[in-house]
Amino acid sequence: MAETWIEIVDTVVKVGLGALISGVFSYLTLLKTKKHEFDLLDKQRRKEDTFEKKDVYLSYLSEAQALVQTYITSSCYCDTPEYKSFLKTYNRLQITAPDPIRAVAHRLLCAVNEFIVINKEGLERDLRKGMRQKIDESLGELQLLAKLDLE
């Protein structure tokens, strides 16, 4: 009977120890798999965020340039669908972009507004050139900051 009791305990220890080792490795494998899934989801989310930011930056820059070109010889009354779309894109950018980009986007908005609403008839060439230069500088700065943000 003593041998039987020892054999039973021996078998229980072997089976229990094997199950414990198997359980630990199963748990570690599960953790590794979940971490990999979370990493993939995080990478996908960052890719989508980058795409969305790029879309907002491109829309804002393009709409600003389009407004300047549209009102190069005339003035805007700021009630057009193009201008309202520009403001909507500006607000999206202000909500989602980092502070340095938000500041430059605001300067660009002010420069574009100043240029498109002024009566161009009889406007001095130097004044018009200075207004365009402010727009171009803001556009260039925003392009650079957007590029750095998307890297």
Side-chain angles (χ1 to χ4, degrees), residues 28-124:
L28 291 175
T29 303
L30 177 68
L31 286 179
K32 182 108 173 140
T33 303
K34 285 296 180 188
K35 183 183 179 321
H36 180 69
E37 288 176 13
F38 285 133
D39 289 346
L40 285 176
L41 288 173
D42 188 49
K43 186 176 180 181
Q44 181 181 0
R45 183 189 53 77
R46 278 187 273 123
K47 189 176 182 179
E48 290 170 358
D49 287 348
T50 300
F51 180 78
E52 199 171 308
K53 280 182 175 182
K54 183 190 276 186
D55 183 52
V56 171
Y57 296 156
L58 286 173
S59 294
Y60 186 67
L61 290 164
S62 299
E63 289 174 7
Q65 290 171 320
L67 280 172
V68 169
Q69 291 303 313
T70 301
Y71 297 103
I72 202 156
T73 58
S74 61
S75 56
C76 175
Y77 295 105
C78 300
D79 60 352
T80 64
E82 295 83 13
Y83 185 75
K84 290 176 182 176
S85 174
F86 176 63
L87 289 179
K88 183 177 180 180
T89 306
Y90 168 74
N91 286 316
R92 266 181 66 202
L93 191 143
Q94 288 294 319
I95 292 169
T96 59
D99 287 342
I101 291 177
R102 292 176 60 228
V104 174
H106 179 72
R107 281 199 303 274
L108 178 59
L109 173 77
C110 292
V112 168
N113 279 340
E114 181 181 25
F115 182 79
I116 66 174
V117 299
I118 197 165
N119 184 358
K120 314 292 184 310
E121 205 171 302
L123 188 64
E124 291 182 20

Side-chain angles (χ1 to χ4, degrees), residues 19-33:
L20 180 65
I21 291 171
S22 175
V24 167
F25 280 106
S26 294
Y27 180 72
L28 291 175
T29 303
L30 177 68
L31 286 179
K32 182 108 173 140
T33 303

